[in-house]
Amino acid sequence: MGWIGDTVDSIKSIQIRQLLTQVVSLGMIVTSALIIWKGLMCVTGSESPVVVVLSGSMEPGFKRGDILFLHMSKDPIRAGEIVVFNIDGREIPIVHRVIKVHERQDTGEVDVLTKGDNNYGDDRLLYAQGQQYLQRHHIMGRAVGFLPYVGWVTIIMTEKPIIKYILIGALGLLVITSKD
Amino acid sequence: MHSFGYRLNGLLTFAVTILALMCAITSLSDNFNTPSPSAEIKIMNINWFQKQPQGHDEVSLTMNVSADLQSLFTWNTKQVFIFVAAEYETRKNSLNQVSLWDAIIPAKEHAKFWIHTSNKYRFVDQGNNLRGKKFNLTLHWHVMPKTGKMSADKIVLTGYSLPEEYR
């Protein structure tokens, strides 16, 4: 009960300068997180250097909720690599293994077929209408490392957005009411 | 300065940092392992060799794969994914890799094995270049850790070839 009274008092006693300082420090935190994210994008050469595994198609190797670190180098794509790719028209990236590679003599372009370790058939059913293979431009990166369970935070926040709002609301309240 | 909130925040930050450090060290410990795997693949029989209605060549074969991959396992290994791929060159393609069979080895005890199997995945060419084709069979393995960096390598076995005529 006293805590609520303190909160109301501290909101009433906010001065403009103090408020501005807090807004700027919040802005600094957000922008430094953005800088780190964009820096990671440059270093790994991939549009999204970290992805969360959303389905069980690569079990038991990768379970739902694991996160994968991606890297995209100019090295050619070879069978056995675990790649993350986007299908035209679908927004969710898919993490599967390359099982077939056909590389052209003249241009060096590749046709790639993928399959999830835990799936019975290859990914042709997932590709767009009439698409038999993936090309390099579909692929966002190769998986080079992974951490188990850490991705559950992202999954929970995406599937139950109410938790995201509660978290942001609580953080905002904390920032406003903190004495320093 | 000593409120419950501050203490909880400090504790959580410390815990997450230590956890991240432990994951990194665990992954680094994998570098001390020097693997020495061995494998042998014998093609027992070419079951059939046809040209499909769409114009692509297809082969069905039976092979005998024996391997000892126990040295790849460390305490940080969750599983090893292995697959056998046929690699060959054609006039249009500088490299073709077709995965014929794969398996997951969940533990060190299962890593020394012998299996007699037909190809799990269809050996289909992009075209009809397979008659009399010489190809390599490679056994690839992909070590998937409990946490950290993944690694992969392969053994190339040469000297295989397909028959000159369809059968």
Side-chain angles (χ1 to χ4, degrees), chain B residues 10 20 25 43 52 62 123-124 130 133 138 143 147 157:
Chain B
I25 294 177
I43 296 194
Q52 286 182 339
T62 308
F123 187 165
V124 182
L130 289 183
K133 176 63 67 183
T138 44
V143 180
T147 170
L157 302 162

Side-chain angles (χ1 to χ4, degrees), chain A residues 12-41:
Chain A
K12 277 196 231 162
S13 70
I14 282 180
Q15 301 138 327
I16 292 296
R17 199 166 192 182
Q18 196 183 8
L19 184 66
L20 277 177
T21 316
Q22 287 184 337
V23 168
V24 169
S25 25
L26 191 64
M28 293 282 282
I29 296 174
V30 171
T31 46
S32 44
L34 201 64
I35 290 173
I36 293 175
W37 182 251
K38 293 289 176 184
L40 265 181
M41 274 170 63

Side-chain angles (χ1 to χ4, degrees), chain A residues 40-57:
Chain A
L40 265 181
M41 274 170 63
C42 279
V43 163
T44 63
S46 162
E47 271 174 26
S48 69
V50 181
V51 289
V52 178
V53 176
L54 294 171
S55 73
S57 57

Side-chain angles (χ1 to χ4, degrees), chain A residues 103-121:
Chain A
E103 183 176 296
R104 298 270 174 281
Q105 291 269 17
D106 41 7
T107 60
E109 281 169 18
V110 283
D111 285 337
V112 157
L113 180 63
T114 58
K115 173 182 172 296
D117 289 348
N118 208 22
N119 289 347
Y120 184 70

